[in-house]
């Protein structure tokens, strides 16, 4: 018996998918179809898959052509499958030409011509609502927002607004953005979601204007250094039935959800101590201390909770502002310490110490794709990882798409009251140093 295998996501099942499965079957007597699992697709940057795995498997099943259907869960599984199922021929579309030649040592490799003029991407574009993202900027830098938005179907960065003509021209040239505006009314006409990417002194004002205009907003935290004003912005978002999201990417990355689960499900016992440190020397960033502190407070609030009992800030200041801060938040059952180095360097790491184990994220913990779990029973250190390219903003956009589809305006990555707590702590620090 000659066995054939082929793989695919088979999202929005279409004629091109049917054709390749049918032609693959003709290469042998028994056809195995591998359907990609969600984690595998996320890991290879395919975030726009619309259909659930159950639907995708069902669609392959309904062709009546597959003798067996398997799920592709990890990179390299193709080799194991070919060996395990004693496969003779591997078939794939010629958009992958040359990419699977290394499988020739295990079986025959056949690239078949793709069916023209049909694709899942095209069907998603035709069938689902699209949202235009507009950026409000005060420097010609996009922090990878444009590239990240391209990974999530349904979003497109189409406009930019800046008060500064030079910045606007430079930005439009650099990123090849369709529309550039210095007039907010014109900018809003083209925009469903606004990323307010400007310095803290203007952030709250722009956020408020956009929300009142009925636009969904994403902005760097803190939105303001006044806890009252920050909380009011969430109220305005609620009144206008629009979403307001903190641009904190780490909480949307699955590795963080996994870490949160482990910490809260008691896998390291009772949490007694949280340590995290962050520093940056970029003097060109205004309010760098506030940006860094907000970022460091995010995992504190997510893991230790909002109900701290006291805050003890210790800071080193110069005429340039706060150069270093060590902030201790005391909780009923434990404490959290964060070290912020603004000019003064601190080693970046994040550590959650529990009575039965420790979770550690090394180096750039806010964009880490792995963490370690060390339990006190003496077993080995376990590493949990998840690969992703880019800076993780696409995961925030993915959550935004879910929110828009379900008409939910509050993010479940960082809840509004968690965001408000972060600013309450920041405000306290500024008032007490
Ligand atoms: N295909 C095709 N014609 C189209 C569209 C897709 O022949 N118009 C083929 C692809 O070449 C692929 C299969 O249909 O062989 C499935 O395509 P996708 O669902 O896009 O999956 P893909 O990302 O190509 O998965 O392990 C996963 C595989 O490596 C590839």
């Amino acid at each position: 018996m000659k066995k054939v295998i082929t793989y695919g996501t088979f999202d929005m099942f279409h004629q091109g998918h049917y054709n390749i499965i049918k032609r693959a079957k003709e290469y042998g007597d028994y056809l195995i179809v591998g359907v990609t699992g969600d984690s595998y697709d996320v890991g290879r940057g395919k975030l726009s898959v619309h259909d659930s795995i159950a639907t995708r498997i069902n669609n392959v099943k309904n062709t009546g052509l597959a003798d067996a259907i398997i799920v592709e869960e990890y990179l390299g599984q193709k080799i194991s499958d070919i060996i395990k199922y004693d496969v003779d021929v591997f078939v794939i579309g010629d958009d992958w030409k040359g990419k699977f030649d290394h499988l020739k040592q295990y079986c025959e490799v056949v690239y078949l011509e793709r069916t023209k003029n049909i694709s899942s991407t095209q069907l998603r574009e035709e069938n689902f609502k699209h949202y235009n993202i507009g950026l409000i900027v005060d420097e010609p830098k996009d922090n990878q927002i444009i590239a990240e938005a391209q990974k999530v179907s349904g979003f497109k960065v189409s406009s930019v607004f800046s008060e500064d003509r030079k910045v606007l021209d430079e930005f439009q040239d650099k990123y090849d953005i369709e529309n550039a505006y210095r007039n907010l009314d014109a900018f809003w006409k083209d925009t469903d979601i606004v990323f307010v990417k400007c310095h803290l002194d203007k952030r709250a004002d722009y956020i408020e204007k956009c929300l009142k205009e009925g636009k969904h907003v994403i902005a760097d935290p803190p939105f303001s250094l006044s806890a009252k004003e920050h909380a009011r912005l969430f109220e305005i978002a609620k009144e206008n039935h629009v979403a307001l999201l903190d641009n904190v990417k780490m909480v949307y990355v699955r590795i963080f959800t996994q870490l949160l689960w482990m910490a809260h499900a008691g896998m390291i016992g009772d949490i007694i101590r949280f340590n995290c440190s962050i520093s940056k020397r970029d003097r060109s960033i205004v309010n760098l201390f506030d940006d860094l502190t907000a970022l460091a407070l995010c995992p504190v609030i997510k893991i230790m909770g909002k109900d701290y009992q006291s805050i003890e800030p210790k800071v080193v200041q110069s005429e340039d502002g706060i150069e270093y801060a060590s902030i201790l938040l005391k909780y009923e059952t434990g404490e959290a310490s964060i070290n912020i180095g603004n000019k003064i360097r601190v080693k970046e790491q994040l550590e959650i110490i529990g009575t039965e184990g420790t979770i550690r994220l090394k180096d750039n913990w806010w964009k880490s794709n792995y963490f370690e779990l060390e339990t006190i029973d003496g077993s080995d250190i376990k590493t949990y990882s998840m690969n992703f390219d880019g800076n993780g903003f696409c995961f925030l956009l993915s959550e935004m798409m879910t929110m828009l589809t379900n008409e939910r305006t509050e993010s479940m990555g960082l809840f509004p009251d968690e965001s408000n707590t972060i600013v309450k702590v920041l405000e306290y620090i500024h008032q007490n140093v």
Side-chain angles (χ1 to χ4, degrees):
M1 185 165 59
K2 203 167 170 193
K3 284 186 168 176
V4 186
I5 198 161
T6 191
Y7 293 86
T9 303
F10 304 111
D11 189 32
M12 314 280 301
F13 199 86
H14 57 68
Q15 192 63 39
H17 294 142
Y18 182 82
N19 292 349
I20 198 152
I21 292 176
K22 187 160 188 303
R23 290 179 64 206
K25 176 99 177 178
E26 289 162 9
Y27 277 79
D29 318 297
Y30 187 88
L31 176 68
I32 305 169
V33 180
V35 179
T36 54
D38 291 335
S39 308
Y40 178 64
D41 273 330
V42 170
R44 65 185 185 133
K46 218 170 169 173
L47 294 183
S48 352
V49 180
H50 174 266
D51 294 337
S52 70
I53 184 158
T55 303
R56 293 184 287 117
I57 289 176
N58 228 4
N59 287 337
V60 172
K61 196 172 161 201
N62 289 341
T63 62
L65 295 164
D67 297 291
I69 300 175
I70 57 169
V71 177
E72 187 178 24
E73 289 171 299
Y74 60 92
L75 195 69
Q77 188 186 315
K78 289 186 176 82
I79 295 177
S80 320
D81 290 342
I82 291 167
I83 298 168
K84 184 171 166 188
Y85 300 109
D86 197 19
V87 168
D88 301 288
V89 192
F90 169 87
V91 174
I92 199 95
D94 64 1
D95 44 325
W96 293 97
K97 202 168 173 86
K99 294 277 184 340
F100 293 107
D101 285 356
H102 57 96
L103 294 178
K104 284 183 182 162
Q105 52 183 317
Y106 304 99
C107 67
E108 190 186 338
V109 173
V110 176
Y111 299 101
L112 293 178
E113 195 184 338
R114 253 175 92 88
T115 305
K116 293 194 176 56
N117 303 324
I118 181 97
S119 73
S120 308
T121 311
Q122 182 192 330
L123 289 175
R124 282 190 297 260
E125 268 167 24
E126 284 167 9
N127 286 285
F128 301 115
K129 191 169 160 42
H130 273 64
Y131 296 91
N132 285 333
I133 302 178
L135 308 179
I136 294 183
V137 299
D138 50 16
E139 52 180 355
K141 270 209 298 205
D142 86 321
N143 290 13
Q144 299 177 46
I145 293 167
I146 298 165
E148 290 286 311
Q150 276 166 0
K151 296 181 191 169
V152 191
S153 101
F155 290 119
K156 189 177 176 217
V157 179
S158 54
S159 320
V160 58
F161 168 92
S162 184
E163 289 171 17
D164 185 325
R165 155 126 294 148
K166 223 175 122 235
V167 168
L168 194 62
D169 291 346
E170 217 178 310
F171 195 99
Q172 192 179 22
D173 274 5
K174 196 165 156 190
Y175 299 108
D176 200 19
I177 295 273
E178 258 165 68
N179 312 305
Y181 298 101
R182 286 181 70 207
N183 173 305
L184 271 178
D185 289 320
F187 168 74
W188 281 323
K189 279 207 179 71
D190 260 351
T191 309
D192 307 300
I193 300 164
V194 181
F195 191 121
V196 177
K197 200 187 148 314
C198 64
H199 293 143
L200 189 52
D201 53 352
K202 294 206 172 131
R203 224 175 266 171
D205 187 38
Y206 276 129
I207 294 173
E208 180 171 347
K209 281 187 175 132
C210 294
L211 294 173
K212 286 186 169 163
E213 203 56 37
K215 306 296 169 195
H216 304 286
V217 175
I218 306 170
D220 293 327
F223 304 150
S224 156
L225 285 181
S226 147
K228 205 170 151 207
E229 184 176 33
H230 191 92
R232 199 173 61 87
L233 291 172
F234 278 111
E235 287 305 315
I236 297 173
K238 206 169 172 183
E239 284 158 19
N240 288 276
H241 312 290
V242 286
L244 172 60
L245 264 79
D246 288 80
N247 176 30
V248 187
K249 297 171 263 295
M250 79 175 296
V251 296
Y252 297 100
V253 176
R254 207 172 45 215
I255 199 75
F256 186 77
T257 320
Q258 205 169 8
L259 177 154
L260 203 60
W261 171 269
M262 288 191 171
H264 288 167
M267 291 181 74
I268 54 167
D270 298 328
I271 299 169
I272 44 181
R273 177 90 186 183
F274 176 103
N275 295 320
C276 92
S277 310
I278 185 166
S279 64
K280 214 170 192 175
R281 252 185 238 152
D282 192 342
R283 311 300 294 170
S284 67
I285 304 176
V286 189
N287 292 100
L288 181 61
F289 170 78
D290 300 307
D291 288 355
L292 292 179
T293 309
L295 183 59
L297 283 168
C298 181
V300 174
I301 303 300
K302 294 291 316 173
I303 289 157
M304 304 295 286
K306 303 184 299 285
D307 302 322
Y308 57 85
Q309 293 176 321
S310 65
I311 312 170
E312 289 171 24
K314 286 200 179 72
V315 302
V316 176
Q317 296 196 73
S318 73
E319 63 274 15
D320 288 345
I322 299 175
E323 302 290 8
Y324 169 81
S326 163
I327 302 150
L328 188 71
L329 276 90
K330 288 200 171 151
Y331 288 81
E332 201 182 331
T333 53
E335 47 190 30
S337 153
I338 60 171
N339 293 308
I340 314 294
N342 183 9
K343 195 171 169 189
I344 292 175
R345 211 71 196 143
V346 294
K347 185 162 167 46
E348 279 117 8
Q349 58 173 359
L350 188 154
E351 195 177 41
I352 309 160
I353 304 170
T355 48
E356 284 165 37
T358 303
I359 290 173
R360 237 172 257 121
L361 276 98
K362 292 177 177 165
D363 304 320
N364 298 336
W365 52 262
W366 59 95
K367 54 179 179 189
S368 182
N369 54 10
Y370 79 99
F371 66 87
E372 289 177 357
L373 172 74
E374 184 178 355
T375 43
I376 54 164
D377 63 8
S379 58
D380 290 341
I381 297 175
K382 286 198 184 106
T383 304
Y384 294 83
S385 66
M386 177 214 160
N387 288 324
F388 63 91
D389 297 325
N391 66 10
F393 183 64
C394 59
F395 298 108
L396 182 150
L397 283 182
S398 230
E399 155 76 351
M400 183 120 199
M401 184 53 88
T402 312
M403 289 168 66
L404 297 174
T405 310
N406 299 330
E407 293 180 19
R408 166 165 61 84
T409 52
E410 290 191 359
S411 161
M412 295 212 206
L414 189 69
F415 293 102
D417 54 354
E418 292 177 324
S419 174
N420 289 335
T421 307
I422 290 173
V423 178
K424 246 165 67 188
V425 176
L426 250 179
E427 185 181 60
Y428 180 90
I429 296 166
H430 281 285
Q431 283 169 352
N432 289 277
V433 296

